[in-house]
Amino acid sequence: MDGQIVIIGAGQAGTQTAEALRSGGYTGAITMLGDEPHGPYHRPPLSKAWLAGDIGEAQLVMRAPEMLAKKGITLRTGVTVEAIDRAAHQVRLAGGETLAYTGLVLATGSTPRSLPLPGIGAPNVLPLRSKDDASAIATRLTACAERSLPVLVIGGGFIGLEVAATARKKGLAVTVLEAAPRLLGRVLAPLLSDWYAALHREHGINLVLDARIASIETDAAGEATAVLMADGSRHPCGLVVLGVGVTANDRLAAAAGLACDRGIVVDDCTRTADPLIVAAGDCTARQLADGSLLRLESVQNATEQGKSAAAALLGQPRPFTATPWFWSDQYDRKLQMAGLSGGADAWAVRGDMGGDMAAGAAFSIYHFRAGKLIAVDSVNSAKDHLQARKLLDAGVSPTPEQAADGGFDLGTLIPKG
């Protein structure tokens, strides 16, 4: 096959698409455009092992440029794409250069949200999305440790809590401000939200729920020195980490006339309304059979959509409909989530959530809606997680009583073959 496939984005989804095109038999040119100065790297360790200093530069690398070159994939870093010309089948880069495409992949990822607060632009108020973000936060954490300054995290989602846990492990005083009445409220049932709140408090985190922030106080040099609350209280800090979610990078797609709704709208095969353009990863919103849109921000979604994007461009539709799964590492606890628990009306706990948290509990929460299993959240229980993915993929549901009975082998419900 001749022509050139252009991939905008050099992260998980873009890299997976490029490699799947080659393994799928595509012989034309593949050009991958990344707006960061780095080649493809792994993002999940940024808030954990990389921030803690437990892994080095080499362990972050996803694909070295020379490895991509061996596969005939051209990687260009530090490149900004300004527009897509669908009529001319071209993308325009900053500086005026144009690239023609016979197929276009949008793997543009997402951008951290900010907050409309006085002082939000201080140099020690930082988001965490990129490798450079993580490096800047790591430098600030070291400075806080040297000067005995506390760290303040705004947002009690996964990124915020992972950063908080990492900072505590370094011995820093940490306060987490969460605007909602509980942690991880969009993704966890109240039972597990409360358990995680107790876990973080057990490790010495000052956790403030229903937090209302008025402003960020800065000194004469413009550095943030405290976060001021609406009730008049004040939280001193040497670093503020923003973990208040992300926004899909769909600006290019919207400007090109493609449907966008909190992400680039795609079908199960990652196709947009333009037959030459597909999209994959955090920038997408997948349209489901009932017309609703599903946004997933995970390595699994980026990987599987990347494979589907390549297949779509090769004329070999490959729907991605597998059970979504996610994970988060906080302290010595690994949370593994299978399925989506929103709308659950019943729960069953397998294992022991109680006891001494320092001993390392292992348990799973099974979520049901109208008697059907829809999701399983497992803490330090990899076997339960793997079984849950198989049960959900097969559409098989244990009863809540079976799920709660540690003596019942849920594996017997999984179809053989």
Side-chain angles (χ1 to χ4, degrees):
M1 289 176 247
D2 296 322
Q4 174 174 235
I5 292 178
V6 174
I7 301 172
I8 305 177
Q12 184 79 41
T15 303
Q16 182 63 66
T17 304
E19 294 186 331
L21 283 166
R22 282 290 181 245
S23 62
Y26 180 72
T27 57
I30 299 175
T31 300
M32 187 159 59
L33 307 174
D35 59 358
E36 294 185 50
H38 317 288
Y41 60 88
H42 297 287
R43 291 185 188 271
L46 294 179
S47 57
K48 301 177 280 287
W50 169 259
L51 198 59
D54 294 338
I55 63 173
E57 189 92 19
Q59 292 162 286
L60 270 189
V61 174
M62 184 189 305
R63 297 291 184 274
E66 54 270 24
M67 183 183 297
L68 294 171
K70 285 181 180 178
K71 297 180 179 181
I73 299 167
T74 299
L75 170 66
R76 295 178 60 179
T77 57
V79 174
T80 299
V81 179
E82 292 192 334
I84 300 166
D85 186 337
R86 290 169 56 194
H89 302 163
Q90 292 180 339
V91 297
R92 187 178 75 248
L93 311 184
E97 180 186 356
T98 60
L99 292 177
Y101 66 80
T102 50
L104 179 63
V105 182
L106 303 178
T108 47
S110 58
T111 298
R113 290 194 182 99
S114 188
L115 293 172
L117 293 173
I120 198 72
N124 58 334
V125 177
L126 299 168
L128 175 49
R129 185 65 181 168
S130 69
K131 180 180 173 183
D132 289 344
D133 292 338
S135 295
I137 290 172
T139 298
R140 292 284 182 171
L141 287 177
T142 299
C144 285
E146 291 171 348
R147 299 168 59 196
S148 298
L149 293 173
V151 174
L152 198 139
V153 176
I154 300 178
F158 285 128
I159 292 295
L161 293 178
E162 288 169 1
V163 170
T166 301
R168 272 308 288 146
K169 288 168 71 175
K170 286 177 168 286
L172 291 156
V174 181
T175 292
V176 174
L177 304 177
E178 168 54 52
R182 59 189 179 92
L183 297 180
L184 297 160
R186 291 190 305 111
V187 292
L188 296 186
L191 184 68
L192 195 51
S193 283
D194 292 345
W195 189 88
Y196 265 98
L199 175 68
H200 282 278
R201 286 179 172 132
E202 180 87 7
H203 280 82
I205 297 284
N206 177 27
L207 183 60
V208 181
L209 303 177
D210 290 311
R212 297 293 177 265
I213 302 172
S215 65
I216 297 174
E217 184 179 274
T218 57
D219 62 16
E223 294 269 328
T225 55
V227 172
L228 306 181
M229 309 302 289
D231 63 5
S233 60
R234 181 177 181 273
H235 296 283
C237 60
L239 166 67
V240 178
V241 178
L242 284 176
V244 291
V246 297
T247 302
N249 291 333
D250 58 7
R251 180 189 58 81
L252 282 173
L258 296 173
C260 295
D261 186 349
R262 294 171 295 111
I264 304 166
V265 177
V266 297
D267 64 10
D268 284 344
C269 297
T270 77
R271 296 173 294 205
T272 69
D274 187 319
L276 297 183
I277 302 178
V278 295
D282 288 5
C283 64
T284 64
R286 184 176 6 137
Q287 191 155 41
L288 304 181
D290 62 4
S292 63
L293 294 173
L294 176 63
R295 274 203 26 83
L296 297 173
E297 299 162 14
S298 71
V299 171
Q300 178 221 17
N301 184 60
T303 299
E304 295 302 323
Q305 281 196 321
K307 295 175 183 176
S308 293
L313 291 175
L314 294 171
Q316 305 160 1
R318 174 193 180 276
F320 166 47
T321 56
T323 298
W325 52 265
F326 317 83
W327 82 91
S328 175
D329 294 318
Q330 298 170 44
Y331 309 108
D332 59 348
R333 313 303 163 90
K334 179 177 284 293
L335 170 65
Q336 294 173 288
M337 309 167 69
L340 301 171
S341 61
D345 54 28
W347 297 267
V349 178
R350 189 180 185 90
D352 182 14
M353 291 183 70
D356 182 4
M357 286 196 167
F363 62 89
S364 295
I365 299 178
Y366 291 71
H367 304 263
F368 296 86
R369 184 169 59 228
K372 179 179 174 61
L373 183 69
I374 59 171
V376 180
D377 298 334
S378 302
V379 174
N380 285 2
S381 188
K383 178 183 177 182
D384 284 357
H385 174 69
L386 293 174
Q387 279 187 343
R389 284 163 55 178
K390 292 177 182 178
L391 288 168
L392 291 164
D393 279 342
V396 173
S397 181
T399 66
E401 293 74 21
Q402 288 171 332
D405 182 359
F408 180 81
D409 184 1
L410 295 173
T412 61
L413 302 177
I414 300 170
K416 301 296 186 279

